[in-house]
Amino acid sequence: MFTGVPVKEDHLLGRVGDAAFATVDQDWHISPATGTLSKHSGDYHWPLTNYDWNAPDIGMDDEAEDVSVTVTGFGAAPNCHFSLLNVDEHAATYDAAGLDRYTSPGAGAITPWWNRTSTALRDIAAGSELYVDYGPSWFTSRGGHFQLVPLASSYEKALEFLKAYGKMLVGTDSPDDLVEDKMMIGDEVQKDLWDIIKTHPYVS
């Protein structure tokens, strides 16, 4: 998602906050009497797995034993890039509109969780992509290419690597020395090293 207008630090993204919908004890409700199925083990398909939020992030710690939360609107749209985070997301507000969650027949017709707002972490220029923090477990709990997505801690390691790589190329780790006429190794060796880097990625 991108912003078409400049946004000042701490200003609201969007006109209002999002509604949040809790899915409670999902495995318990879908499992047969003879055993337990789990969406985390892939025993059944839950289409919102990659879009649901953890309950503590929304403020729903006490809704049930196992809670996942679907946030509509803005909360369902942004990507995550740990080095470019520019949006802060907040907990939802609870308001049951006077309906008793245990006795009122209308309680299940609405979600009592609403106004989950998102604000700018810093000034954001028009045309910029908006990034929120998924948390590292969103990536580390998934297999395949997700394991190669750099986490916040990965950038420190990358900087150390680039300094060592630059020192190998020109003899120092100063960015000012990384110019063509100071290279200590030839183009073919540089190409081979870069091919190794691209061909053998490591898990974050």
Side-chain angles (χ1 to χ4, degrees):
M1 172 176 279
F2 296 79
T3 176
V5 296
V7 183
K8 291 291 185 181
E9 182 179 356
D10 293 329
H11 279 212
L12 185 70
L13 276 301
R15 295 181 179 178
V16 296
D18 294 332
F21 300 86
T23 303
V24 300
D25 296 329
Q26 183 175 339
D27 294 344
W28 185 85
H29 286 290
I30 204 168
S31 295
T34 54
T36 302
L37 301 178
S38 172
K39 63 180 178 181
H40 301 295
S41 300
D43 294 332
Y44 61 89
H45 176 63
W46 176 239
L48 298 178
T49 292
N50 291 329
Y51 297 93
D52 278 351
W53 293 89
N54 291 327
D57 296 332
I58 313 298
M60 297 186 185
D61 306 60
D62 302 321
E63 283 292 287
E65 183 176 334
D66 178 57
V67 185
S68 59
V69 186
T70 301
V71 178
T72 59
F74 177 84
N79 289 317
C80 174
H81 193 308
F82 287 108
S83 71
L84 300 175
L85 300 178
N86 54 11
V87 175
D88 189 19
E89 297 194 299
H90 309 284
T93 301
Y94 183 86
D95 184 355
L99 301 178
D100 186 279
R101 300 300 293 175
Y102 295 95
T103 61
S104 174
I110 65 167
T111 174
W113 296 96
W114 65 287
N115 197 34
R116 195 217 181 187
T117 57
S118 302
T119 54
L121 277 171
R122 56 178 180 273
D123 290 351
I124 305 174
S128 299
E129 184 164 2
L130 302 174
Y131 293 102
V132 301
D133 188 350
Y134 287 8
S137 63
W138 195 95
F139 298 96
T140 58
S141 64
R142 291 163 169 80
H145 294 301
F146 287 109
Q147 296 292 311
L148 303 177
V149 173
L151 308 177
S153 59
S154 304
Y155 293 96
E156 296 178 7
K157 297 178 182 178
L159 183 59
E160 293 176 6
F161 171 83
L162 289 173
K163 286 183 177 180
Y165 183 60
K167 193 169 185 177
M168 183 172 60
L169 291 179
V170 297
T172 77
D173 58 8
S174 172
D176 295 334
D177 292 328
L178 289 175
V179 292
E180 192 66 33
D181 59 354
K182 291 187 178 182
M183 294 295 175
M184 298 176 65
I185 58 178
D187 292 343
E188 286 301 315
V189 177
Q190 292 181 48
K191 182 178 181 300
D192 289 342
L193 284 171
W194 187 242
D195 285 342
I196 292 174
I197 294 169
K198 292 191 298 181
T199 307
H200 301 283
Y202 63 90
V203 174
S204 295

